[in-house]
Structure formats: structure tokens, C-alpha cells
Amino acid sequence: MDFTPSESQRRVQSSARAFAESAIAPEAAEIDRTGRFPRALLRGLAERGLLAVNVPAALGGLEAGAVAAALAIQEIARACASTAVTASVTNMVCETIAAFGNDDQRKRHCPRLASGDAVAGSFALSEPDAGSDPAAMRTTARRDGGGWVLDGAKQWITSGAYAGVLLVWARHEAPAGQRAKLSCFILEGGARGLSVRRTEDKMGIRGSNTVGLELDGCRVPADGLLGAEGGGFRVAMSALDGGRIGIASQAIGIARAALEASLVRARGRRAPGVPRGDDSWLEMKLADMRARLDAAIVLSMQAAWRKEKGLPFTREAAMAKLAASEGAIRVCGDAIAIAGGTGGLGEDGVERHFRDARVTTLYEGTSEIQRLVIARRSLA
Ligand code: CAA
């Protein structure tokens, strides 16, 4: 494996970094404070191809691969984790439609997601009683003429109030004693029978929109089924494999921002409370932060590289997400310790990074779920 980015990967990374530093970073603290959805910033990302990095050019994407997609999300998250998760989920939805959709579905939805005309994409899998175990979902899909009718409720749906394209999972009626099969459906924002419920007030990633959705007799036409009828669980798992590299990249960007803030402080003055002449406490902390960050980068590059090469990457993506999100909490905690008395004041963003980092261990599979995936794939 060669860790040197190719020319095209470097171009994507530079373009993401330039936009993140000039346009996203200046708004990040205010987005966090007010919980404002970063709509205009998403448009700017779309103009640079950053909402569909690993999607064929014929569908409006950059066609730059999974490694470039990971690098782009790292750069965006270094500036604003809320904007990064919104972009990451949109990339995931667009890639999933490109991978599992038929020609009509791909041509209809991918260009809208890539161009920003759809604002964002949503991945509506979780439910109030089915978070870690999506197979336990209660939302039903009932055949109706050529199409389906969906009824149920979804929870913790990223961008659910804004998304122009939503992937929605539902279960089919199963004979007693048999596990119900799931299907994945494509809905457009504002579809009849689809309504937005509670907006969550979160500890971190506050500018990302997280809502409940209600499906009340929501009709999906025949061409709204994504992939095979009853094949929805596989669609979800395979989408989440890729999505977890996106969240690992998000956590890496957050941790990098925290480490950079600490390095500025460490270079500028001594850590408060540490006696003069003894830098070892600070050096130990900086070393742990750097090692945790680089371990996460190596694992996520490995996962992205395997994805790009068409190799299995389920376990690698879970390892990347686990190491990056748990590592980011530790890195951000150390950054607060290094900031000392001002660490909780939000002066240089480390307090925001700490709150944002914590949330990355919760979505697209909790850390416990990542451990389950890693262990099962190791035992298999
Ligand atoms: N790719 C393709 N197929 C897969 C797969 C993968 N990664 N993982 C499992 N499958 C297939 C299996 O081969 C199996 O197929 P067969 O029935 O044909 O044998 C089937 O799926 C069932 O597999 P398991 O028995 O392993 O499934 P399980 O019920 O034990 O669950 C799990 C496994 C890993 C715990 C899974 O339930 C899981 O990942 N849970 C977490 C869900 C999650 O991450 N939710 C996040 C919500 S989305 C979100 O957060 C997005 C956002 O907006 C930020």
C-alpha cells in the first residue's frame, strides 16, 4: 500500500481544504452555537464535486475514488464536523444509489445529490426501537398495486428535514417464526405521507439536522424500490461499510483540529499548572495525541484503499471507525487538558471538538457494534 496521494487525490484534498479553510471554518463556531443547518456551505461543496466524490462522472460525481472521498471528509471535518457529517451521509446515499440503483434511478437521483439540488441525502434506517439492530424495525412495506405503502416511524435521521432524496427501509410481512425481510426504498423530500417530527437538540454536531420521520400511508411507486425486494439489509450493511470510513474520516478531521490547537498552545506557552523546567507532561500528551491520530489515519486509509480496489473491507471499515472515533475523544480530551483553565471556554474550538468527537462513536454503528463486526469477521 502506498500512502502517497495520487495527483487526483491530492487535487480533491486541496480543493476540500481550500474551501474548508476559507468558507467553512469561519462559520463553524456559529453553526455549533445556533444549530444552523449549513445549507449554503453544502452548495459550495457540491460546486466542487464534494457531495459525490466516489460517484461516476456520468452521474455528476467526481469519480475520484474512496481514498479521495475519505481525504475530503477529513478536511471538511477539520473545519466543521456538522458540515462534514452532512456531506458524508450525502456521499453515502449517492454512492448507494449509484451501486444498487437501476439506470433510471441512478440518472434521476445521483445528479441531484451531486449538484446540491437535492440539498442533502438521508439514510433512514434507525427507529425508536431499532438502532443497533435494524432487523428489528417496525416500519412496514405493504404491496399496493404496482408499488408499496410505507407505515412507521424513523429516528435520528441525519438531514431528514432538508433532504431531497431519502433512502428508507421497511419490513415485509413474514410468516410466523420467520425473520422479516427488509427492502430499501427511495423517497423524495416532501413526499405525501412523509412528515418530519422532533428535531434533536444534540451535545455535538449541532449544525447537522437530526430528526424523527413519520411514514403514514406513504406511497412508493414501483420504481422506488432500490435493489431487490427483500434485499434491503444487504444494501444497508454494504452502504454502512462505506459510511463508516466517512465517519472515521470525520473523527480524524476533528482530532486533527484539536491536535493543531494544542500544538499552537504548546509552542506559545507552557501548560498551566506544570512546574517550570518540566515539559514531560505536555510531551507525553502530545505524543499520545499524534500516535492516536496517525493510527486512525492508517486504518482508515487501509479501509478506503481496500474499498477502492474492490477487496472486502467490512472489518477494516469497522476498525477505522472504532479507532478514529474513540481516539478522537481521547485526543480532544487531551487538548482540553493542555488548554487548562480555558479548555472549557470554547476559545480555540477544543471544547466544540470534544463534544463533536463524542457523537462520532454513536452513529453509523456504536463502538460496541464496530467491535461486534470486527470480532465476527475475525472469527469467521
Ligand atoms: N455487507 C453485505 N452483507 C452483509 C454485511 C455487510 N457488511 N453484514 C452482514 N451482511 C449480510 C449477512 O451476510 C447476512 O446475509 P444472509 O442472511 O444472506 O446470510 C445478513 O446480512 C445478516 O447478517 P448478520 O446475521 O451478521 O446480521 P445481524 O442482524 O447479526 O447484524 C450487525 C449485524 C453488524 C449488528 C448489524 O445489525 C449492524 O451493523 N448494526 C448497526 C446498525 C447501524 O450501524 N446503524 C446506523 C444507522 S445509520 C446512521 O447512523 C446514518 C446517519 O445518518 C449518520
Side-chain angles (χ1 to χ4, degrees):
M1 200 191 321
D2 183 354
F3 281 92
T4 324
S6 68
E7 205 34 57
S8 77
Q9 288 162 351
R10 209 186 299 276
R11 259 202 311 277
V12 174
Q13 183 182 34
S14 305
S15 146
R17 176 171 289 212
F19 185 68
E21 287 183 347
S22 64
I24 302 178
E27 296 190 18
E30 185 262 331
I31 286 173
D32 172 62
R33 199 172 55 250
T34 59
R36 174 170 64 80
F37 184 73
R39 198 176 177 131
L41 295 175
L42 291 172
R43 179 59 82 174
L45 290 174
E47 281 163 8
R48 289 155 183 82
L50 299 174
L51 295 185
V53 178
N54 185 30
V55 170
L59 299 175
L62 272 192
E63 202 170 320
V67 171
L71 294 172
I73 297 296
Q74 285 179 18
E75 295 298 335
I76 300 164
R78 177 170 163 261
C80 173
S82 297
T83 307
V85 71
T86 311
S88 182
V89 173
T90 302
N91 271 279
M92 169 168 70
V93 168
C94 195
E95 274 191 47
T96 306
I97 295 174
F100 288 94
N102 59 34
D103 233 34
D104 286 347
Q105 292 169 329
R106 288 155 55 106
K107 286 191 185 131
R108 180 161 174 198
H109 301 293
C110 291
R112 288 185 63 228
L113 285 161
S115 65
D117 288 351
V119 183
S122 273
F123 193 84
L125 180 70
S126 300
E127 297 191 359
D129 296 311
S132 287
D133 183 13
M137 74 174 52
R138 294 193 185 154
T139 296
T140 55
R142 176 170 50 83
R143 271 249 178 227
D144 181 62
W148 289 268
V149 176
L150 309 186
D151 284 286
K154 296 288 169 184
Q155 191 153 312
W156 309 302
I157 306 307
T158 301
S159 307
Y162 296 91
V165 178
L166 302 95
L167 299 184
V168 179
W169 279 262
R171 56 185 286 164
H172 297 284
E173 196 76 53
Q178 275 185 33
R179 214 172 178 188
K181 293 265 189 210
L182 307 186
S183 287
C184 178
F185 300 93
I186 310 175
L187 290 187
E188 295 194 9
R192 258 178 97 141
L194 169 69
S195 50
V196 177
R197 294 297 179 215
R198 193 177 74 181
T199 302
E200 304 294 350
D201 184 13
K202 308 185 295 298
M203 69 178 287
I205 327 274
R206 293 178 54 77
S208 107
N209 169 255
T210 308
V211 297
L213 296 175
E214 190 174 310
L215 296 144
D216 183 10
C218 181
R219 279 174 198 283
V220 187
D223 62 4
L225 174 71
L226 182 68
E229 183 171 352
F233 193 82
R234 201 176 80 80
V235 174
M237 291 300 115
S238 125
L240 282 169
D241 285 345
R244 287 168 186 164
I245 302 175
I247 303 304
S249 309
Q250 184 201 14
I252 287 167
I254 297 168
R256 192 193 290 275
L259 174 59
E260 286 171 359
S262 296
L263 289 170
V264 168
R265 275 183 188 274
R267 288 190 188 111
R269 64 184 166 92
R270 308 275 307 261
V274 177
R276 280 206 168 277
D278 179 9
D279 273 341
S280 59
W281 175 86
L282 180 58
E283 286 170 351
M284 296 302 111
K285 285 244 174 283
L286 290 173
D288 279 351
M289 292 163 85
R290 182 76 247 178
R292 283 203 173 90
L293 175 60
D294 273 25
I297 291 171
V298 170
L299 283 172
S300 72
M301 284 296 106
Q302 168 183 248
W305 179 83
R306 289 183 68 89
K307 178 178 173 189
E308 198 158 310
K309 295 279 172 227
L311 297 166
F313 66 99
T314 299
R315 185 181 61 185
E316 287 75 11
M319 291 194 298
K321 182 179 185 280
L322 179 66
S325 57
E326 294 289 343
I329 294 176
R330 301 286 294 273
V331 169
C332 294
D334 284 346
I336 289 182
I338 289 171
T342 61
L345 301 182
E347 269 181 7
D348 52 7
V350 293
E351 174 263 356
R352 164 167 58 92
H353 302 323
F354 185 73
R355 289 185 286 103
D356 288 346
R358 185 63 183 86
V359 185
T360 65
T361 63
L362 303 175
Y363 46 41
E364 303 212 17
T366 60
S367 290
E368 289 70 28
I369 288 295
Q370 309 311 323
R371 291 187 178 100
L372 201 73
V373 172
I374 297 162
R376 284 186 184 174
R377 296 276 159 164
S378 301
L379 288 165

